[in-house]
Amino acid sequence: MSGAAVVVEHVRKSFEGGRIRALEDVSLRLDPGELVALTGPSGCGKSTLLNLIGALDRPDAGEIHVGGEDVTRLRDPAGYRAETVGFVFQFHNLIMTLTALENVQVPMLGRRGRAERERRAAELLAEVGLAGRADSYPPTLSGGERQRVAIARALANEPRLLLADEPTGALDSETGAQILDLLRRLRDEHGTTILLVTNDDAVAAQADRVVRIRDGVLTPAADARAR
Ligand code: ADP
Ligand code: MG
């Protein structure tokens, strides 16, 4: 499965009846297989933009297409979230009472049979370098290992787009660099498009391109290819 192109055009989003204007007029394009870092000060709307692209929320105005599909008018948003996009967050949100292997299977529940789920989860854990920790519970894993389990889980249904919201934000810089290496390798092998929010310049420098939101606007100067 190849990566999805992402086209965001003139997106606006406010909260609390317009009092909080999170995104004023944001346009952004990602080519299939591109790894783009999204930066900007806290509260500038980075998570809001990811949530809109991931169809967790809807914009007030503007258009968002992922793989040619209009994600603001989905008939089956849950299906889109499960099959087209994968999410990775700062705090991995793993289920503490499930093993690594079981956590990775969660997005596949009801979508694949048990044997296939287990086989694929084991494969994914091997891909992120955790083959030996399949039966470990998250509290016994390091922060970097937990984040790798979360990445394996995000890839469970072979998403065409990975949305990562400060995935290295809770990690030390060396572990963060390893997570970035992993994301880049997965992108190279699977062609997955990746949009990565980070406030860490060293992390952003490892992306193909860096874009910046400021005061709810992503300026053409910050993203020369946004049209
Ligand atoms: P960032 O991820 O860049 O730190 P966010 O996208 O989380 O910023 O937030 C952008 C602005 O929108 C902030 O002022 C935040 O408080 C506000 N905001 C985000 N989500 C909501 C919400 N569900 N309800 C009200 N305000 C929100
Ligand atoms: Mg955020």
Side-chain angles (χ1 to χ4, degrees), residues 192-206:
T192 317
T193 309
I194 303 179
L195 182 57
L196 165 90
V197 169
T198 183
N199 270 319
D200 183 334
D201 290 341
V203 167
Q206 291 194 62

Side-chain angles (χ1 to χ4, degrees), residues 125-145:
L125 284 176
E127 260 199 270
V128 300
L130 289 176
R133 304 306 300 269
D135 297 325
S136 300
Y137 290 86
T140 70
L141 300 172
S142 71
E145 287 168 342

Side-chain angles (χ1 to χ4, degrees), residues 56-99:
L56 290 169
D57 204 350
R58 294 172 83 150
D60 300 334
E63 293 193 16
I64 303 174
H65 287 82
V66 173
E69 193 172 16
D70 181 349
V71 307
T72 66
R73 291 184 187 82
L74 291 167
R75 255 192 241 147
D76 177 17
Y80 166 81
R81 286 193 295 268
E83 286 162 15
T84 306
V85 285
F87 291 94
V88 180
F89 301 98
Q90 177 173 3
F91 301 103
H92 45 79
N93 300 334
L94 298 177
I95 299 170
M96 293 296 168
T97 54
L98 298 181
T99 64

